[in-house]
């Protein structure tokens, strides 16, 4: 198969090309939490991926310059929370640099293995980190599911074109 001459304009690989391409990719929204040396930490992630069902493994990316990275780099366990469409404010709080992510109105409790667990999410998992793989200025964290709850009600929050969105039928 050969390329069509009507390919139109294209760009060489760059950070801008990657960002603009993935703005077109709708992704589910999760919040990753961990227990840090000075308290709970967390961040919004759209890079959450199911890796394997047996054993149950997930992955997510985190920048090494992120405020949560030192805790994620050292901890054994993380919490993974799938957000519902009613939680765009929570997603924005955990995405905002310098925000008091665990202050009111965020409702959370200490869960198994000391992991902060957020209330009212669609699903949450506590996972044991089994690997941190260098990937540019990020790390891909591989984590094995230890336990969780997938019984929350509602529909998922999505991230698309730089905004949090609701799923449409």
């Amino acid at each position: 198969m050969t390329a069509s001459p009507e390919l139109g304009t294209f760009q060489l690989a760059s950070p801008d090309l990657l960002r603009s391409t993935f703005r077109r990719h709708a992704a589910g929204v999760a919040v990753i939490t961990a227990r840090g040396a000075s308290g709970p930490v967390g961040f919004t992630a759209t890079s959450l991926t199911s890796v394997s069902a047996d054993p149950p493994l997930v992955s997510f990316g985190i920048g090494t310059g992120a405020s949560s990275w030192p805790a994620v780099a050292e901890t054994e366990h993380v919490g993974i929370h799938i957000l519902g469409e009613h939680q765009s404010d929570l997603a924005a709080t955990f995405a905002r640099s310098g925000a008091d992510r665990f202050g009111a109105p965020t409702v959370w409790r200490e869960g198994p293995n000391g992991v902060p667990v957020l209330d009212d999410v669609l699903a949450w998992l506590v996972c044991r980190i089994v690997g941190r793989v260098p990937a540019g200025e990020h790390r891909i964290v591989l984590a094995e599911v230890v336990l969780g709850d997938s019984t929350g009600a509602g529909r998922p929050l999505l991230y698309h074109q730089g905004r949090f969105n609701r799923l449409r039928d």
Side-chain angles (χ1 to χ4, degrees):
M1 180 185 242
T2 60
S4 164
E6 294 88 29
L7 289 177
T9 61
F10 59 90
Q11 297 174 300
L12 293 176
S14 70
D16 287 340
L17 174 61
L18 189 66
R19 284 185 198 102
S20 66
T21 299
F22 274 86
R23 278 188 202 105
R24 297 175 178 273
H25 174 71
V29 181
V31 168
I32 312 298
T33 61
R35 173 63 62 189
S38 58
V41 301
F43 63 98
T44 300
T46 57
S47 61
L48 180 65
T49 304
S50 170
V51 174
S52 169
D54 188 18
L57 295 171
V58 298
S59 71
F60 60 88
I62 179 172
T64 56
S67 61
S68 297
W69 170 243
V72 173
E74 297 296 324
T75 193
E76 290 185 35
H77 293 88
V78 293
I80 296 175
H81 308 82
I82 306 300
L83 301 191
E85 63 185 7
H86 64 286
Q87 295 179 302
S88 59
D89 289 343
L90 182 67
T93 296
F94 276 84
R96 193 169 38 253
S97 181
D100 181 5
R101 296 173 178 158
F102 290 91
T106 302
V107 181
W108 65 283
R109 64 192 180 285
E110 186 172 313
N113 302 103
V115 171
V117 175
L118 303 175
D119 282 359
D120 197 31
V121 295
L122 298 186
W124 61 268
L125 301 169
V126 170
C127 302
R128 182 179 60 83
I129 294 178
V130 296
R132 295 172 185 87
V133 181
E137 76 280 7
H138 281 66
R139 295 296 180 267
I140 304 302
V141 178
L142 294 168
E144 184 173 12
V145 176
V146 175
L147 54 86
D149 180 0
S150 63
T151 61
R155 296 168 59 135
L157 182 65
L158 299 178
Y159 188 73
H160 180 251
Q161 293 287 38
R163 298 180 318 155
F164 297 114
N165 294 277
R166 293 172 183 250
L167 186 65
R168 288 188 233 165
D169 291 326

